Amino acid sequence: MKKILVTAGPTRERIDPIRFISNYSTGRFGYEIAREARRRGFDVTLISGPTALKTPSGVKIVRVETALEMREAVLKRSKNADCIIMAAAVCDWKAKKPRQKKIKKRGGKFVLELEQNPDILKELGRRKRYALVGFALETEGLEKNALKKLREKNLDIIVANKLNGNKLFGSNNIDIVIIDRQGLRARFRKKTKKALANIILDKALNFTI
Ligand code: CTP
């Protein structure tokens, strides 16, 4: 039985015991992909950042909070996977020195130093023995940037969304472009995440060995 690994949701990067950095991701796309993959009878593991969603039935769930936890959970399971779909909105940045105690508001100004998180998808691209799918969320230069990510991260497929305002998050009718490693582009308009999940799975499975 084919093993599919899906990541979903945002990550949270701690600043102090009360506050964190995150993003607007709801996790719905990744959960939908995991649900549809399971419906096809695959062995599905979903590695999820914090979301309010119910785990699709029959899907194994691994809950993580930070990008580093997600990295560890994904890399550990990557060796056995036939296909990895990185739908998670991993935070690119984390606080350089997360504080053990609440940061108090002294004076008027507060500077928070950030450092970059590892790029999980890029690491997965270096040791590839599975079909690899990435996502790209862009506010401009959609196809150009997506193609660049596809090449730089050694992906089989990239799913590119353009963000207008923050309408995409939580929304169910979205426009996407899927580009594969041969450079083939397919544009989809106003499709549900469920329909898109199936289109992505069909394409990704072509790249499994
Ligand atoms: N991703 C990842 N690890 C990160 C950041 C992103 O694995 N630290 C993955 C996401 O899951 C997604 C893809 O990389 O599948 C693209 O993420 P995105 O934030 O659009 O792109 P970046 O490569 O971070 O580039 P930039 O922020 O410059 O647009």
Side-chain angles (χ1 to χ4, degrees):
M1 194 197 300
K2 281 208 191 319
K3 284 190 182 357
I4 317 275
L5 202 57
V6 184
T7 68
T11 63
R12 281 183 184 170
E13 311 300 327
R14 187 179 150 114
I15 298 172
D16 72 10
I18 297 153
R19 308 174 178 104
F20 56 82
I21 300 169
S22 192
N23 56 62
Y24 288 113
S25 168
T26 62
R28 280 208 41 214
F29 216 158
Y31 274 62
E32 209 63 71
I33 293 168
R35 178 178 295 111
E36 293 307 308
R38 180 62 200 141
R39 236 166 39 91
R40 294 179 182 210
F42 298 129
D43 176 344
V44 184
T45 302
L46 178 60
I47 298 173
S48 175
T51 72
L53 303 173
K54 237 182 84 193
T55 307
S57 95
V59 168
K60 285 175 247 166
I61 184 103
V62 180
R63 293 192 189 280
V64 297
E65 188 168 313
T66 66
L68 290 180
E69 288 168 12
M70 183 168 281
R71 174 181 178 272
E72 201 186 311
V74 172
L75 294 186
K76 200 165 101 185
R77 291 165 181 82
S78 63
K79 288 166 218 79
N80 297 321
D82 296 293
C83 175
I84 305 181
I85 303 179
M86 279 290 301
V90 183
C91 288
D92 286 326
W93 305 96
K94 67 179 195 302
K96 189 161 184 193
K97 289 195 205 101
R99 310 297 157 86
Q100 298 306 317
K101 296 196 179 126
K102 184 182 176 189
I103 300 165
K104 302 297 284 180
K105 54 173 181 307
R106 295 191 193 89
K109 194 172 157 190
F110 171 61
V111 177
L112 179 66
E113 201 178 343
L114 302 179
E115 64 182 5
Q116 225 169 309
N117 267 322
D119 189 322
I120 305 168
L121 191 55
K122 203 166 183 174
E123 280 183 66
L124 290 170
R126 283 195 206 109
R127 38 159 98 189
K128 213 162 144 288
R129 286 210 321 282
Y130 30 70
L132 188 58
V133 181
F135 280 65
L137 187 55
E138 307 287 347
T139 52
E140 57 197 345
L142 181 69
E143 293 189 31
K144 188 169 150 265
N145 286 327
L147 191 61
K148 189 162 168 259
K149 284 180 193 174
L150 176 101
R151 302 271 183 248
E152 281 176 2
K153 302 193 190 192
N154 192 23
L155 310 178
D156 294 304
I157 293 169
I158 192 149
V159 181
N161 307 267
K162 182 155 184 191
L163 185 64
N164 293 313
N166 69 2
K167 263 196 345 229
L168 178 81
F169 296 105
S171 130
N172 202 17
N173 277 297
I174 54 175
D175 301 346
I176 62 166
V177 183
I178 300 179
I179 310 175
D180 71 20
R181 65 181 310 132
Q182 277 104 37
L184 215 73
R185 293 168 197 221
R187 297 180 182 82
F188 300 92
R189 296 195 61 99
K190 301 259 177 299
K191 292 247 186 249
T192 62
K193 285 183 177 167
K194 181 178 173 174
L196 291 171
N198 279 298
I199 291 166
I200 293 163
L201 283 168
D202 285 341
K203 288 200 183 282
L205 291 165
N206 286 334
F207 288 95
T208 57
I209 302 153

